[in-house]
C-alpha cells in the first residue's frame, strides 16, 4: 500500500516532451497517472532523489501505472518477402482546356 502521508511531503518535477515542469504535488502526479498523461518513459525527480527516474521505476508510482501491454512483438523474419499489398501510382489526369 502506498504511504500517501509520506508521499504528500514531496514536490515533484516531471520531464515531458522535452520540457521540465514543476513543482507538482504528489496528488497532481497521481492525477496525471490516472489520466494517462504520464507514460512509462517519462521522468520524475524530487529533492529526496539523487537523479531523475522513469516514473515506472519508483515504487510510489509504479502500482498506479497502467499495465504494460502484453501484445507480442511481431516476428520480422516471418514477414520478410511476404508483401501482401502492392501500390501502383497513377499519373494525375490532364486538365481539359
Amino acid at each position: 500500500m502506498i504511504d500517501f502521508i509520506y508521499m504528500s511531503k514531496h514536490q515533484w518535477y516531471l520531464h515531458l516532451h522535452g520540457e521540465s515542469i514543476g513543482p507538482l504535488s504528489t496528488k497532481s502526479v497521481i492525477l496525471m497517472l490516472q489520466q494517462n498523461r504520464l507514460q512509462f518513459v517519462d521522468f520524475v525527480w524530487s529533492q529526496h532523489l539523487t537523479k531523475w527516474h522513469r516514473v515506472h521505476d519508483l515504487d510510489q508510482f509504479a502500482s498506479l501505472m497502467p499495465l504494460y501491454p502484453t501484445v507480442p512483438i511481431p516476428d520480422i523474419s516471418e514477414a520478410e518477402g511476404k508483401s501482401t499489398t502492392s501500390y501502383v501510382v497513377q499519373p494525375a489526369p490532364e486538365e481539359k482546356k
Side-chain angles (χ1 to χ4, degrees):
M1 186 76 179
I2 298 173
D3 185 353
F4 287 102
I5 296 171
Y6 170 74
M7 286 179 51
S8 65
K9 296 187 291 187
H10 297 295
Q11 294 292 303
W12 298 93
Y13 294 82
L14 306 175
H15 188 76
L16 303 170
H17 311 292
E19 294 187 33
S20 296
I21 60 171
L24 300 170
S25 68
T26 301
K27 185 176 181 178
S28 294
V29 175
I30 290 171
L31 182 62
M32 291 178 76
L33 285 166
Q34 292 170 339
Q35 295 173 341
N36 291 326
R37 293 171 55 198
L38 286 177
Q39 306 300 319
F40 290 93
V41 295
D42 294 325
F43 287 92
V44 295
W45 179 83
S46 185
Q47 287 184 332
H48 72 285
L49 301 173
T50 57
K51 64 179 183 174
W52 288 85
H53 292 273
R54 294 206 186 262
V55 68
H56 70 84
D57 289 335
L58 295 178
D59 292 339
Q60 298 99 315
F61 300 124
S63 64
L64 301 172
M65 297 289 300
L67 296 177
Y68 192 79
T70 57
V71 176
I73 298 172
D75 186 357
I76 291 178
S77 63
E78 290 180 15
E80 287 179 355
K82 294 184 179 179
S83 177
T84 58
T85 306
S86 61
Y87 297 95
V88 177
V89 178
Q90 299 290 334
E94 293 184 22
E95 290 184 23
K96 295 182 182 178
K97 294 181 184 182

